Amino acid sequence: MRQAGRSLPEYFPVRGDGSILDAIKEPERAAEITLQPTRRYDLDAAILFSDIVTPLWATGIGIDIKPGVGPVTENPIRDESDLDRFRPVDPESDLDFQTEAIKLITKELDIPLIGFCGAPFTLATYLIEGKPSKNHTNTKRLMFSNPELWHTLCEKISDVVIASLKAQIDAGVEAVQLFDSWAGILHPVHYQEFVFPHSKRILETVQTTGIPLFHFGTGTSMLLDQFAAAGADVVGVDWKTSLRHARTILGNDYTLQGNLDPSICTAPWPVVEKEVRRILDENAGNPRFIFNLGHGVLPETNPDILARVADFVHEYGQTLLDNS
Amino acid sequence: MRQAGRSLPEYFPVRGDGSILDAIKEPERAAEITLQPTRRYDLDAAILFSDIVTPLWATGIGIDIKPGVGPVTENPIRDESDLDRFRPVDPESDLDFQTEAIKLITKELDIPLIGFCGAPFTLATYLIEGKPSKNHTNTKRLMFSNPELWHTLCEKISDVVIASLKAQIDAGVEAVQLFDSWAGILHPVHYQEFVFPHSKRILETVQTTGIPLFHFGTGTSMLLDQFAAAGADVVGVDWKTSLRHARTILGNDYTLQGNLDPSICTAPWPVVEKEVRRILDENAGNPRFIFNLGHGVLPETNPDILARVADFVHEYGQTLLDNS
């Protein structure tokens, strides 16, 4: 989800060539990039330009985003001694750029702004693997072989996530999303044991602010019940999961978000229209559905197609978010 | 699944440094590699050393396997004119090495040998993308934008798959697996429209031979019903799907295969034992379950761990295949 910017021609001059974190840490650039899609598309909310690793990076743990690669950690976490490198995040000094960006954005925006952060499992995979991984073998080996270290690590990450989300809310976002991009690589019983308690603590802690909490990951068709049970008000449904399945698991009164395949948005409009209509027809007018892509916008997407998606969904009478 | 070889020290001297297809096309080497895991592990069946792209490669369509990369196609399929490059596979001249290997293996083997091939969707992704892809955007764009070309392409691939499976059965394999490794990236309704008819035609055609048909892909928790409906006697359950879910969809009388996470096999034995026991306990003694890994063996796996897995499963009283 999110990442609408990278398919817009006006994005690149603002974004620049360096690490995405260079753009994120400059409030004016981050604000401008956040606003760009809202000028093109008729959206019901915008999402902050940031990254799931931003608060961890801000603590100086050594995570970075390498252009063309993704999140990398120079000295991956392997044993207890690596935990000494953790320090709590201080929102005032570490995340001031984020607070500033949110204030700049909300001043201009006439739709709600959504904040977000990565969830502990996904962030832990980047800290443990050191680089994007296919099988996440190091993560799983550590998790299963040393559950105590695993849980301590996730608690430390969770503290950073909670601080970041609270700071975003204090600065003015009106909803937050917790992204557990990689949770879908786990069997449901392992998710329950190793991940659920941490995501639950985060969502329950942030719940006290009273703003809507979204929770999303891809490949999570077997985890939707636990995503909701962890305390999410809205669960994202990726493009591989039917709305019917999600409704069977979560019922008609639960709010779902999704579930257009981003790849389809690279096809000609008649193809896209057919699929958007199919999803809306499957939803059958349930107001507890926020139309969105089932994952991030692909860089090769034609912005005109996304504009037509937004208009079509509104003409059909459904809500949709900037994440398209 | 399969790929037990690549974690064995005795594999590399036989396998050599070149393309895996160099080893596959030499019957003596392919036979030796097929037999190696059966000497180490107490298995109930062996699986042919080959690759899902082997028969396509043998037709000269231009698909190859690049060491360290995976399947590549020099001139990817993009429009109707590319279909001219297809020619039917002639088992006698194109797949003689496969027939020869199977004959060498079955002469020595006192357990059944399983043959296999890739399914049309997964093979089409390699022909269309040209290289391993994360989002398979070209494949989906072609599929949705030009359904006629898509279906013609899949029919041509299916003819090659059928010929290969029949040749393997004629040569002496006692079961075959159809691997649709990438099918899980599709929404169930798109799978139904674009993939199901082709996999069904293959399975129904091969069904006439009377041998058991296995069907497997990863991330297919939402597709298990269609995998079975296509005509499979056994459906593989990856490590992300609970057996309980699979039983809810397919019932207690259907044969399932799976579902140990290959990453867990890189952990110390007590961790592996606990997980193997958990899966067997979840199966609760249902004889319609073949214990196996939920995907291929990872290269960093300790063979001694796999030997203990095999012994443990037998002591517990369950069947298992060489794919572990």
Side-chain angles (χ1 to χ4, degrees), chain A residues 102-113:
Chain A
I102 292 169
K103 287 184 175 164
L104 289 173
I105 297 160
T106 50
K107 214 183 291 173
E108 287 205 35
L109 206 61
D110 52 7
I111 49 177
L113 178 66

Side-chain angles (χ1 to χ4, degrees), chain A residues 53-76:
Chain A
V53 309
T54 301
L56 265 189
W57 162 78
T59 68
I61 186 81
I63 197 167
D64 205 345
I65 300 179
K66 208 168 160 181
V69 178
V72 292
T73 301
E74 206 182 330
N75 298 302

Side-chain angles (χ1 to χ4, degrees), chain B residues 15-48:
Chain B
R15 159 73 169 81
D17 288 334
S19 165
I20 192 171
L21 292 163
D22 292 341
I24 289 169
K25 73 183 176 196
E26 283 183 33
E28 291 77 15
R29 283 162 77 188
E32 170 60 18
I33 294 173
T34 300
L35 293 167
Q36 283 177 344
T38 70
R39 296 187 194 116
R40 281 204 180 238
Y41 311 134
D42 181 22
L43 302 163
D44 299 309
I47 190 156
L48 181 65

Side-chain angles (χ1 to χ4, degrees), chain A residues 135-137 140-141 144-145 184-190 193 221-222 239-243 245 259 261 263-264 266-268 271 274-275 278 282 298 300, chain B residues 135-137 140-141 144-145 184-190 193 221-222 239-243 245 259 261 263-264 266-268 271 274-275 278 282 298 300:
Chain A
N135 297 310
H136 300 90
T137 305
K140 288 183 182 170
R141 190 166 44 226
F144 286 107
S145 309
I185 63 168
L186 295 176
H187 188 284
V189 303
H190 302 146
E193 179 175 353
S221 51
M222 298 286 97
W239 75 96
K240 298 176 277 190
T241 307
S242 68
L243 288 180
H245 169 76
N259 78 327
D261 188 334
S263 293
I264 294 181
T266 68
V271 170
K274 187 181 166 198
E275 179 60 8
R278 188 197 64 73
E282 184 172 4
L298 296 171
E300 60 264 48
Chain B
N135 297 311
H136 300 89
T137 305
K140 288 182 182 171
R141 191 166 41 224
F144 286 107
S145 310
I185 63 168
L186 294 176
H187 188 286
V189 303
H190 302 146
E193 179 176 353
S221 51
M222 297 286 97
W239 75 96
K240 300 176 276 190
T241 307
S242 68
L243 287 180
H245 169 75
N259 80 330
D261 187 336
S263 292
I264 293 181
T266 68
V271 170
K274 187 180 165 199
E275 178 61 7
R278 187 197 65 71
E282 184 172 4
L298 296 170
E300 60 264 50

